[in-house]
Amino acid sequence: MRYLSNKIYLLPVFLLLIFFACKSSRPDFTSPAGYDFKKPEKFIMPDNLLEISGIAFYKGKSDTVYSIQDEDGRLFRQAWGKKKQLHTTFGKKGDYEDLAILKETVLVLNSNGEITVFPFLQATSQKVQNPKIFKKILPKGEYESIYASQQTSQVYLICKNCKEDKKHGELSGSIFTFDQAKQELIPSGEINMDLSALISSGQILKTGLKTSALTRDEHTGDWYILSSVNKLLVIAGPDWKIKSTHRLNSSTFNQPEGIAFDNERNLYISNEGDELSSGNILKFKRKS
């Protein structure tokens, strides 16, 4: 009986040890400075944007959200908080991953590195007339991230899957300057980020960051790099050196594939849906 009572006495202690061990092994879900990832404003997408894969604003105005989804060559537009949407068709079916609106031009990125360009004026038309498609201007690989600077007209593209990146534990990308008058993308440099610290610490897979979206805080020059596969937000300085990392809670970020700032520095992250949940856009208000 004494042996049995000792076992009964030790059982709660054993369970407590397991509880605290599990708790200590859980990842910490942090938020970048100025934002609270625990308190988003959620905008549920309609069924045709279940696979929303990129978001952008025209001149930073958040009253209208422009977006694309993986399969159809359509640019969607809808008022914030309103499911009703309109769209223009810019291309045939494909694997469209991200978009940017640079002044009066829309740039849509295909996963194979092709970039479709057309005037923003045609965003409200039924079909885009004579879009320009840039092919084979990027190193061979898979691409999901594009960002365009309103200040410099430079366009930044990061590779999600490139063979050389895996070998050297790096993240690579290309920079172009967009000539509005000639509607041309002019090569203007390269992007290199050292990922060795993230790999050695186990924060990302050995195969790389697997970038799914990219944006920039133009007030600080910091880069916000999103990885859906690793459920991670990486913030880097203007020199592409890592400043901080933030683990994303999968209960909030189902499949984060798009990211953008508005002109009030509010941060938006879009998530693809699945069989159990709808696609959505999360808004995180900038703390004063």
Side-chain angles (χ1 to χ4, degrees):
M1 290 294 292
R2 182 180 297 176
Y3 174 72
L4 182 59
S5 65
N6 287 341
K7 286 183 68 176
I8 294 172
Y9 173 78
L10 290 172
L11 183 59
V13 177
F14 178 69
L15 292 175
L16 281 172
L17 289 173
I18 292 176
F19 171 79
F20 285 115
C22 292
K23 188 175 181 180
S24 64
S25 64
R26 292 174 186 169
D28 292 326
F29 302 118
T30 59
S31 304
Y35 304 93
D36 186 354
F37 277 2
K38 294 179 181 179
K39 297 180 179 180
E41 181 180 334
K42 184 182 289 189
F43 181 13
I44 302 297
M45 294 292 99
D47 290 343
N48 55 356
L49 279 167
L50 173 71
E51 296 185 6
I52 183 171
S53 59
I55 55 174
F57 299 112
Y58 173 63
K59 295 183 178 180
K61 300 175 183 178
S62 60
D63 56 341
T64 302
V65 182
Y66 295 87
S67 61
I68 55 170
Q69 52 104 309
D70 277 357
E71 298 177 352
D72 297 326
R74 296 176 178 179
L75 174 66
F76 295 86
R77 64 188 188 278
Q78 58 197 135
W80 177 258
K82 305 293 184 183
K83 278 194 172 185
K84 182 181 178 182
Q85 53 74 33
L86 299 170
H87 69 263
T88 183
T89 301
F90 62 82
K92 59 185 180 180
K93 286 187 176 295
D95 187 12
Y96 302 102
E97 295 293 349
D98 204 2
L99 81 156
I101 301 175
L102 175 56
K103 298 178 181 178
E104 301 302 323
T105 303
V106 179
L107 303 95
V108 180
L109 175 65
N110 194 299
S111 64
N112 62 8
E114 293 181 0
I115 303 171
T116 303
V117 175
F118 56 91
F120 177 76
L121 188 63
Q122 294 193 44
T124 56
S125 63
Q126 188 173 1
K127 186 176 181 179
V128 172
Q129 301 298 317
N130 304 315
K132 189 169 186 178
I133 303 176
F134 292 88
K135 300 181 178 181
K136 297 181 179 180
I137 64 171
L138 293 169
K140 187 176 180 180
E142 181 183 359
Y143 293 83
E144 291 192 1
S145 308
I146 184 171
Y147 175 77
S149 172
Q150 309 300 320
Q151 299 173 354
T152 65
S153 292
Q154 288 192 317
V155 179
Y156 300 80
L157 300 114
I158 287 181
C159 189
K160 179 181 180 181
N161 281 316
C162 280
K163 189 178 292 184
E164 291 301 312
D165 290 356
K166 295 177 184 178
K167 287 182 182 178
H168 304 293
E170 296 178 344
L171 178 149
S172 68
S174 302
I175 305 170
F176 295 85
T177 300
F178 185 70
D179 187 319
Q180 291 277 348
K182 297 180 179 179
Q183 295 287 287
E184 291 290 342
L185 285 166
I186 303 166
S188 303
E190 296 179 349
I191 299 166
N192 291 103
M193 179 187 287
D194 182 8
L195 301 177
S196 58
L198 297 185
I199 295 172
S200 61
S201 65
Q203 292 187 71
I204 65 172
L205 301 170
K206 291 182 179 180
T207 51
L209 186 57
K210 306 289 185 183
T211 305
S212 56
L214 169 74
T215 193
R216 192 178 197 180
D217 182 345
E218 291 289 357
H219 290 77
T220 64
D222 288 344
W223 294 101
Y224 284 59
I225 306 162
L226 197 61
S227 173
S228 182
V229 172
N230 290 286
K231 287 290 189 295
L232 196 70
L233 174 66
V234 176
I235 299 177
D239 56 1
W240 297 97
K241 291 183 179 179
I242 298 170
K243 297 176 71 174
S244 64
T245 59
H246 304 276
R247 185 71 56 187
L248 303 177
N249 192 334
S250 58
S251 64
T252 303
F253 302 92
N254 182 51
Q255 190 174 332
E257 296 283 348
I259 189 168
F261 284 102
D262 67 15
N263 53 17
E264 294 181 350
R265 296 180 73 190
N266 298 313
L267 179 62
Y268 300 75
I269 295 178
S270 61
N271 292 274
E272 285 193 17
D274 53 28
E275 296 82 1
L276 300 175
S277 59
S278 301
N280 66 58
I281 303 174
L282 305 177
K283 176 181 179 179
F284 302 95
K285 292 185 178 180
R286 176 77 185 183
K287 297 177 184 178
S288 57

